[in-house]
Structure formats: C-alpha cells, structure tokens
Short mmCIF file of all heavy atoms in Angstrom, two decimals:
data_model
loop_
_atom_site.label_atom_id
_atom_site.label_comp_id
_atom_site.label_asym_id
_atom_site.label_seq_id
_atom_site.Cartn_x
_atom_site.Cartn_y
_atom_site.Cartn_z
N GLU A 1 104.18 237.52 -45.03
CA GLU A 1 104.21 236.08 -44.77
C GLU A 1 105.44 235.40 -45.35
O GLU A 1 106.08 234.51 -44.70
CB GLU A 1 102.96 235.34 -45.25
CG GLU A 1 101.60 235.81 -44.68
CD GLU A 1 101.57 235.50 -43.16
OE1 GLU A 1 102.12 234.50 -42.72
OE2 GLU A 1 100.80 236.23 -42.46
N VAL A 2 105.87 235.86 -46.54
CA VAL A 2 107.04 235.31 -47.29
C VAL A 2 108.27 235.74 -46.48
O VAL A 2 109.20 234.96 -46.23
CB VAL A 2 107.08 235.80 -48.69
CG1 VAL A 2 108.41 235.40 -49.34
CG2 VAL A 2 105.95 235.33 -49.49
N ALA A 3 108.35 237.00 -46.04
CA ALA A 3 109.50 237.48 -45.25
C ALA A 3 109.61 236.74 -43.94
O ALA A 3 110.75 236.34 -43.56
CB ALA A 3 109.37 238.99 -45.00
N TRP A 4 108.51 236.52 -43.27
CA TRP A 4 108.56 235.74 -42.06
C TRP A 4 109.00 234.37 -42.23
O TRP A 4 109.78 233.96 -41.47
CB TRP A 4 107.09 235.78 -41.38
CG TRP A 4 107.02 235.20 -40.03
CD1 TRP A 4 106.50 233.98 -39.70
CD2 TRP A 4 107.67 235.64 -38.83
NE1 TRP A 4 106.65 233.74 -38.37
CE2 TRP A 4 107.39 234.77 -37.75
CE3 TRP A 4 108.44 236.84 -38.53
CZ2 TRP A 4 107.79 234.94 -36.52
CZ3 TRP A 4 108.85 237.00 -37.24
CH2 TRP A 4 108.43 236.05 -36.24
N LYS A 5 108.53 233.70 -43.29
CA LYS A 5 109.01 232.41 -43.58
C LYS A 5 110.46 232.37 -43.77
O LYS A 5 111.28 231.52 -43.42
CB LYS A 5 108.20 231.82 -44.82
CG LYS A 5 108.39 230.28 -44.98
CD LYS A 5 107.63 229.84 -46.14
CE LYS A 5 106.20 229.59 -45.70
NZ LYS A 5 105.33 228.92 -46.72
N ALA A 6 110.99 233.39 -44.57
CA ALA A 6 112.52 233.41 -44.85
C ALA A 6 113.27 233.56 -43.57
O ALA A 6 114.40 233.07 -43.57
CB ALA A 6 112.77 234.58 -45.85
N LEU A 7 112.69 234.33 -42.64
CA LEU A 7 113.41 234.50 -41.35
C LEU A 7 113.33 233.23 -40.41
O LEU A 7 114.23 233.03 -39.67
CB LEU A 7 112.85 235.72 -40.67
CG LEU A 7 113.20 237.08 -41.27
CD1 LEU A 7 112.36 238.17 -40.57
CD2 LEU A 7 114.65 237.30 -41.16
N GLN A 8 112.31 232.48 -40.57
CA GLN A 8 112.19 231.40 -39.67
C GLN A 8 112.62 230.00 -40.12
O GLN A 8 112.96 229.13 -39.29
CB GLN A 8 110.63 231.24 -39.29
CG GLN A 8 109.99 232.50 -38.58
CD GLN A 8 110.85 232.73 -37.18
OE1 GLN A 8 111.03 231.86 -36.39
NE2 GLN A 8 111.41 233.97 -37.10
N ASN A 9 112.81 229.85 -41.43
CA ASN A 9 113.24 228.58 -41.98
C ASN A 9 114.68 228.34 -41.48
O ASN A 9 115.56 229.21 -41.64
CB ASN A 9 113.21 228.63 -43.49
CG ASN A 9 113.50 227.28 -44.07
OD1 ASN A 9 113.54 226.33 -43.38
ND2 ASN A 9 113.73 227.27 -45.42
N GLU A 10 114.97 227.12 -40.95
CA GLU A 10 116.29 226.85 -40.40
C GLU A 10 117.27 226.15 -41.35
O GLU A 10 118.47 226.07 -41.09
CB GLU A 10 116.13 226.05 -39.08
CG GLU A 10 115.50 226.87 -38.02
CD GLU A 10 115.57 226.25 -36.63
OE1 GLU A 10 116.56 225.52 -36.39
OE2 GLU A 10 114.74 226.64 -35.84
N SER A 11 116.72 225.70 -42.49
CA SER A 11 117.46 225.02 -43.44
C SER A 11 117.88 225.96 -44.60
O SER A 11 117.15 226.91 -44.92
CB SER A 11 116.88 223.71 -43.92
OG SER A 11 115.63 223.96 -44.54
N ALA A 12 118.85 225.62 -45.38
CA ALA A 12 119.25 226.39 -46.57
C ALA A 12 118.28 226.14 -47.59
O ALA A 12 117.82 225.03 -47.75
CB ALA A 12 120.72 226.05 -46.99
N PRO A 13 117.98 227.09 -48.44
CA PRO A 13 118.33 228.53 -48.33
C PRO A 13 117.42 229.29 -47.49
O PRO A 13 116.19 229.23 -47.65
CB PRO A 13 118.26 228.98 -49.88
CG PRO A 13 117.17 228.19 -50.45
CD PRO A 13 117.23 226.82 -49.73
N SER A 14 117.95 230.01 -46.52
CA SER A 14 117.13 230.95 -45.71
C SER A 14 117.97 231.94 -45.04
O SER A 14 119.16 231.77 -44.90
CB SER A 14 116.35 230.13 -44.64
OG SER A 14 117.21 229.77 -43.63
N ILE A 15 117.33 233.00 -44.53
CA ILE A 15 118.11 234.04 -43.83
C ILE A 15 118.63 233.54 -42.46
O ILE A 15 119.72 233.84 -42.08
CB ILE A 15 117.19 235.31 -43.64
CG1 ILE A 15 116.71 235.78 -44.99
CG2 ILE A 15 117.91 236.40 -42.84
CD1 ILE A 15 117.71 236.09 -45.97
N LYS A 16 117.75 232.69 -41.80
CA LYS A 16 118.09 232.19 -40.49
C LYS A 16 119.30 231.28 -40.69
O LYS A 16 120.18 231.25 -39.74
CB LYS A 16 116.99 231.48 -39.91
CG LYS A 16 117.11 231.16 -38.42
CD LYS A 16 115.79 230.60 -37.92
CE LYS A 16 115.81 230.62 -36.40
NZ LYS A 16 114.44 230.25 -35.78
N TYR A 17 119.43 230.52 -41.69
CA TYR A 17 120.55 229.60 -41.92
C TYR A 17 121.80 230.40 -42.06
O TYR A 17 122.79 230.10 -41.46
CB TYR A 17 120.30 228.84 -43.26
CG TYR A 17 121.32 227.81 -43.54
CD1 TYR A 17 121.18 226.52 -43.12
CD2 TYR A 17 122.35 228.15 -44.31
CE1 TYR A 17 122.13 225.57 -43.38
CE2 TYR A 17 123.35 227.17 -44.71
CZ TYR A 17 123.14 225.82 -44.20
OH TYR A 17 124.14 224.85 -44.43
N LEU A 18 121.77 231.50 -42.81
CA LEU A 18 122.95 232.33 -42.95
C LEU A 18 123.31 232.99 -41.63
O LEU A 18 124.50 232.99 -41.22
CB LEU A 18 122.69 233.46 -43.98
CG LEU A 18 122.54 233.09 -45.39
CD1 LEU A 18 122.16 234.25 -46.30
CD2 LEU A 18 123.78 232.41 -45.91
N ALA A 19 122.33 233.57 -40.87
CA ALA A 19 122.60 234.26 -39.62
C ALA A 19 123.17 233.25 -38.59
O ALA A 19 124.05 233.58 -37.86
CB ALA A 19 121.35 234.80 -39.05
N ARG A 20 122.75 232.05 -38.51
CA ARG A 20 123.31 231.11 -37.59
C ARG A 20 124.76 230.66 -37.94
O ARG A 20 125.53 230.14 -37.17
CB ARG A 20 122.47 229.79 -37.57
CG ARG A 20 121.15 230.12 -36.82
CD ARG A 20 120.63 228.88 -36.24
NE ARG A 20 119.53 229.25 -35.36
CZ ARG A 20 118.65 228.33 -34.92
NH1 ARG A 20 118.77 227.13 -35.36
NH2 ARG A 20 117.70 228.78 -34.10
N ARG A 21 125.17 231.04 -39.12
CA ARG A 21 126.56 230.73 -39.59
C ARG A 21 127.45 232.06 -39.46
O ARG A 21 128.51 232.23 -40.04
CB ARG A 21 126.62 230.17 -40.95
CG ARG A 21 126.28 228.70 -40.88
CD ARG A 21 126.04 228.12 -42.16
NE ARG A 21 125.83 226.65 -42.09
CZ ARG A 21 124.82 226.06 -41.39
NH1 ARG A 21 123.94 226.81 -40.81
NH2 ARG A 21 124.78 224.76 -41.33
N GLY A 22 126.92 233.06 -38.74
CA GLY A 22 127.56 234.30 -38.50
C GLY A 22 127.50 235.44 -39.56
O GLY A 22 128.23 236.25 -39.62
N ALA A 23 126.63 235.18 -40.57
CA ALA A 23 126.48 236.21 -41.59
C ALA A 23 125.95 237.52 -41.11
O ALA A 23 124.98 237.58 -40.32
CB ALA A 23 125.52 235.61 -42.67
N THR A 24 126.57 238.56 -41.53
CA THR A 24 126.06 239.89 -41.33
C THR A 24 125.72 240.59 -42.61
O THR A 24 125.26 241.67 -42.62
CB THR A 24 127.20 240.79 -40.57
OG1 THR A 24 128.30 240.77 -41.40
CG2 THR A 24 127.48 240.17 -39.20
N THR A 25 126.00 239.84 -43.71
CA THR A 25 125.57 240.23 -45.08
C THR A 25 125.01 239.03 -45.74
O THR A 25 125.10 237.98 -45.33
CB THR A 25 126.78 240.78 -45.83
OG1 THR A 25 127.70 239.64 -46.06
CG2 THR A 25 127.39 241.97 -45.18
N PHE A 26 124.35 239.39 -46.91
CA PHE A 26 123.81 238.23 -47.72
C PHE A 26 124.90 237.77 -48.63
O PHE A 26 125.47 238.56 -49.37
CB PHE A 26 122.64 238.90 -48.56
CG PHE A 26 121.83 237.81 -49.31
CD1 PHE A 26 120.79 237.11 -48.51
CD2 PHE A 26 121.96 237.65 -50.53
CE1 PHE A 26 120.04 236.26 -49.26
CE2 PHE A 26 121.26 236.66 -51.23
CZ PHE A 26 120.24 236.01 -50.57
N TRP A 27 125.08 236.46 -48.56
CA TRP A 27 126.22 235.79 -49.32
C TRP A 27 125.89 235.67 -50.82
O TRP A 27 124.77 235.38 -51.13
CB TRP A 27 126.71 234.55 -48.68
CG TRP A 27 127.21 234.68 -47.27
CD1 TRP A 27 127.55 235.86 -46.69
CD2 TRP A 27 127.30 233.71 -46.30
NE1 TRP A 27 127.99 235.53 -45.34
CE2 TRP A 27 127.88 234.29 -45.14
CE3 TRP A 27 127.15 232.36 -46.30
CZ2 TRP A 27 128.12 233.54 -43.99
CZ3 TRP A 27 127.39 231.62 -45.17
CH2 TRP A 27 127.87 232.21 -44.02
N GLU A 28 126.94 235.82 -51.61
CA GLU A 28 126.72 235.64 -53.05
C GLU A 28 126.21 234.28 -53.47
O GLU A 28 125.43 234.08 -54.31
CB GLU A 28 128.04 235.90 -53.76
CG GLU A 28 128.04 235.94 -55.20
CD GLU A 28 129.31 236.26 -55.83
OE1 GLU A 28 130.12 236.97 -55.13
OE2 GLU A 28 129.59 236.01 -57.04
N VAL A 29 126.62 233.26 -52.69
CA VAL A 29 126.22 231.93 -52.91
C VAL A 29 125.64 231.40 -51.69
O VAL A 29 126.10 231.47 -50.59
CB VAL A 29 127.43 230.99 -53.20
CG1 VAL A 29 127.12 229.53 -53.50
CG2 VAL A 29 128.22 231.59 -54.47
N TRP A 30 124.40 230.73 -51.79
CA TRP A 30 123.81 230.14 -50.68
C TRP A 30 124.63 228.97 -50.15
O TRP A 30 125.00 228.06 -51.00
CB TRP A 30 122.41 229.50 -51.08
CG TRP A 30 121.36 230.62 -51.26
CD1 TRP A 30 120.95 231.06 -52.35
CD2 TRP A 30 120.66 231.20 -50.18
NE1 TRP A 30 119.87 231.99 -52.11
CE2 TRP A 30 119.72 232.08 -50.81
CE3 TRP A 30 120.76 231.16 -48.76
CZ2 TRP A 30 118.92 232.96 -50.04
CZ3 TRP A 30 119.88 231.98 -48.08
CH2 TRP A 30 118.90 232.85 -48.63
N PRO A 31 124.97 228.89 -48.85
CA PRO A 31 125.80 227.83 -48.44
C PRO A 31 125.04 226.54 -48.16
O PRO A 31 124.20 226.51 -47.27
CB PRO A 31 126.29 228.37 -46.96
CG PRO A 31 125.17 229.31 -46.56
CD PRO A 31 124.61 229.92 -47.85
N MET A 32 125.32 225.58 -49.05
CA MET A 32 124.72 224.25 -48.88
C MET A 32 125.70 223.41 -48.15
O MET A 32 126.93 223.61 -48.29
CB MET A 32 124.34 223.65 -50.22
CG MET A 32 123.35 224.42 -50.97
SD MET A 32 121.78 224.59 -50.09
CE MET A 32 120.81 225.50 -51.26
N GLU A 33 125.30 222.46 -47.41
CA GLU A 33 126.24 221.62 -46.52
C GLU A 33 127.41 221.17 -47.43
O GLU A 33 128.53 221.14 -46.96
CB GLU A 33 125.50 220.52 -45.92
CG GLU A 33 124.38 220.94 -44.87
CD GLU A 33 124.99 221.72 -43.71
OE1 GLU A 33 126.11 221.48 -43.33
OE2 GLU A 33 124.31 222.57 -43.16
N ALA A 34 127.08 220.69 -48.60
CA ALA A 34 128.14 220.02 -49.45
C ALA A 34 129.18 221.03 -49.86
O ALA A 34 130.36 220.55 -50.19
CB ALA A 34 127.55 219.33 -50.58
N ASP A 35 128.90 222.33 -50.05
CA ASP A 35 129.88 223.24 -50.62
C ASP A 35 130.18 224.42 -49.79
O ASP A 35 130.49 225.55 -50.27
CB ASP A 35 129.39 223.62 -52.01
CG ASP A 35 128.11 224.61 -52.00
OD1 ASP A 35 127.57 224.73 -50.90
OD2 ASP A 35 127.80 225.15 -53.01
N GLU A 36 130.08 224.30 -48.42
CA GLU A 36 130.29 225.44 -47.55
C GLU A 36 131.68 225.98 -47.72
O GLU A 36 131.89 227.23 -47.62
CB GLU A 36 130.04 225.03 -46.13
CG GLU A 36 128.57 225.15 -45.85
CD GLU A 36 128.24 225.21 -44.34
OE1 GLU A 36 129.02 225.75 -43.58
OE2 GLU A 36 127.28 224.61 -43.88
N LYS A 37 132.69 225.19 -47.94
CA LYS A 37 134.12 225.69 -48.10
C LYS A 37 134.14 226.61 -49.37
O LYS A 37 134.78 227.69 -49.30
CB LYS A 37 135.09 224.56 -48.21
CG LYS A 37 135.33 223.89 -46.85
CD LYS A 37 136.31 222.81 -47.00
CE LYS A 37 136.51 222.22 -45.61
NZ LYS A 37 137.49 221.12 -45.57
N GLU A 38 133.50 226.18 -50.33
CA GLU A 38 133.46 227.03 -51.61
C GLU A 38 132.73 228.43 -51.40
O GLU A 38 133.15 229.39 -51.76
CB GLU A 38 132.75 226.25 -52.73
CG GLU A 38 132.30 227.19 -53.86
CD GLU A 38 133.06 226.86 -55.20
OE1 GLU A 38 133.81 225.94 -55.18
OE2 GLU A 38 132.85 227.65 -56.16
N THR A 39 131.69 228.28 -50.60
CA THR A 39 130.90 229.49 -50.30
C THR A 39 131.72 230.54 -49.51
O THR A 39 131.64 231.71 -49.84
CB THR A 39 129.65 229.15 -49.36
OG1 THR A 39 128.92 228.22 -50.05
CG2 THR A 39 128.86 230.34 -48.99
N TYR A 40 132.50 230.12 -48.50
CA TYR A 40 133.31 231.02 -47.73
C TYR A 40 134.46 231.74 -48.59
O TYR A 40 134.95 232.74 -48.19
CB TYR A 40 133.84 230.34 -46.54
CG TYR A 40 132.89 230.07 -45.56
CD1 TYR A 40 132.43 228.74 -45.22
CD2 TYR A 40 132.22 231.06 -44.87
CE1 TYR A 40 131.51 228.53 -44.34
CE2 TYR A 40 131.27 230.82 -43.84
CZ TYR A 40 130.90 229.55 -43.59
OH TYR A 40 129.91 229.23 -42.68
N SER A 41 134.67 231.10 -49.78
CA SER A 41 135.74 231.70 -50.61
C SER A 41 135.26 232.76 -51.49
O SER A 41 136.03 233.38 -52.25
CB SER A 41 136.51 230.69 -51.35
OG SER A 41 135.65 230.16 -52.34
N ARG A 42 133.95 233.02 -51.53
CA ARG A 42 133.38 234.03 -52.52
C ARG A 42 132.91 235.24 -51.75
O ARG A 42 132.93 235.29 -50.49
CB ARG A 42 132.15 233.37 -53.20
CG ARG A 42 132.59 232.22 -54.04
CD ARG A 42 131.48 231.62 -54.82
NE ARG A 42 131.86 230.44 -55.63
CZ ARG A 42 131.06 229.87 -56.44
NH1 ARG A 42 129.80 230.41 -56.67
NH2 ARG A 42 131.52 228.76 -56.97
N SER A 43 132.43 236.18 -52.51
CA SER A 43 131.99 237.50 -51.90
C SER A 43 131.00 237.24 -50.88
O SER A 43 129.99 236.50 -51.17
CB SER A 43 131.49 238.40 -53.10
OG SER A 43 130.85 239.50 -52.50
N GLN A 44 131.01 237.93 -49.78
CA GLN A 44 129.99 237.78 -48.70
C GLN A 44 129.55 239.23 -48.30
O GLN A 44 129.34 239.47 -47.17
CB GLN A 44 130.59 237.09 -47.49
CG GLN A 44 130.98 235.62 -47.81
CD GLN A 44 131.55 234.98 -46.62
OE1 GLN A 44 131.54 235.39 -45.54
NE2 GLN A 44 132.16 233.79 -46.85
N SER A 45 129.46 240.15 -49.31
CA SER A 45 129.25 241.47 -49.00
C SER A 45 127.96 242.07 -49.78
O SER A 45 128.06 242.89 -50.61
CB SER A 45 130.47 242.30 -49.37
OG SER A 45 130.24 243.66 -48.91
#
C-alpha cells in the first residue's frame, strides 16, 4: 500500500513526480518547485 501510494502521488515528494520530470534514477534531492534548478545541479544517479 505504501509503494502504491508512492507511485500514484503526483506531488513532491513522490516517485510519480520524479518520473514526470524525466527521472530514470532517484535524485539525491527531492525536487520541490522552489528549488528545481538546484536539484538539477546535484547527483541524479
């Protein structure tokens, strides 16, 4: 149930939120709307 919820939630922090932004890996920092530019400059592997 927890895994399903993590996949279905559309807002950050969630797996679906990352996937909709093109993620193929789990990012080091959860991308929040206010700091997305900072997120993209960190490890995404």
Side-chain angles (χ1 to χ4, degrees):
E1 299 293 335
V2 174
W4 185 248
K5 192 179 277 188
L7 288 171
Q8 296 303 308
N9 186 12
E10 296 194 23
S11 61
S14 76
I15 304 304
K16 193 171 198 175
Y17 185 89
L18 292 175
R20 288 208 167 161
R21 282 165 174 67
T24 57
T25 61
F26 190 80
W27 297 343
E28 185 174 339
V29 177
W30 283 103
M32 300 298 184
E33 296 297 333
D35 70 351
E36 277 196 35
K37 288 183 181 180
E38 163 115 4
T39 299
Y40 289 111
S41 68
R42 297 187 185 184
S43 170
Q44 297 178 12
S45 185

